[in-house]
Amino acid sequence: MARYQETTQTETLHIPPSITSRGVAATELRPWGAFTVLEEGRGYKIKRIEVKPGHRLSLQMHHHRSEHWIVVSGTARVTCGEKEVLLSNNESTYVPQCTSHRLENPGVIPLVLIEVQNGEYLGEDDIIRYQDDYARTKD
């Protein structure tokens, strides 16, 4: 009876650290709800955002990033520049960098959306607040 030995060749793909992602999954509470950073890598960050019914984020702008919002559940009222739209499940919108914007939940259930940020700098301190229901604007 013939015997054979099975060999498996494994190749390792080296991906430079500058383009690899790192899972974060850190949740931060805010007066309007919460956000969880799901993943972050060079030039992008993905968040899950939950906005309580009747609440809204500040009217704000970012110098260094754009944002793409995809509604998972609930209803979003989005102000982007001079335009205001209502979005529901599986609808999305794009917020260009240096554009004033606001996210609101006009509904009675929590608004859940996925936010994809793109830009050279994605820190939370890149927020210029023009108006805020929770007194977080700088005077």
Side-chain angles (χ1 to χ4, degrees):
M1 180 179 274
R3 295 175 65 170
Y4 69 93
Q5 181 178 4
E6 187 174 316
T7 60
T8 305
Q9 185 176 359
T10 305
E11 292 185 28
T12 303
L13 178 63
H14 176 71
I15 300 174
S18 62
I19 61 171
T20 58
S21 64
R22 59 183 170 96
V24 181
T27 299
E28 292 194 29
L29 300 178
R30 294 290 187 263
W32 44 260
F35 70 85
T36 303
V37 176
L38 302 175
E39 187 172 313
E40 183 174 1
R42 183 176 181 182
Y44 78 96
K45 184 185 292 186
I46 302 170
K47 291 181 178 179
R48 178 190 183 275
I49 297 176
E50 186 167 330
V51 183
K52 298 176 197 174
H55 287 259
R56 63 186 184 173
L57 284 68
S58 58
L59 178 63
Q60 58 187 255
M61 185 270 294
H62 310 288
H63 285 290
H64 303 286
R65 71 175 182 245
S66 62
E67 299 173 339
H68 190 145
W69 296 337
I70 304 105
V71 176
V72 174
S73 63
T75 302
R77 178 180 293 130
V78 175
T79 303
C80 185
E82 300 298 316
K83 184 177 155 188
E84 184 177 293
V85 295
L86 281 177
L87 300 176
S88 54
N89 191 33
N90 204 32
E91 294 181 322
S92 65
T93 193
Y94 175 73
V95 179
Q97 75 181 48
C98 297
T99 303
S100 64
H101 59 281
R102 169 176 264 158
L103 177 64
E104 304 180 47
N105 181 354
V108 295
I109 64 169
L111 164 63
V112 178
L113 61 86
I114 299 299
E115 175 183 84
V116 179
Q117 300 177 359
N118 288 101
E120 292 299 314
Y121 179 73
L122 305 171
E124 290 300 311
D125 58 344
D126 180 30
I127 299 176
I128 306 299
R129 288 190 174 92
Y130 299 112
Q131 195 283 326
D132 184 67
D133 294 347
Y134 311 102
R136 297 177 297 168
T137 56
K138 292 182 181 178
D139 295 328

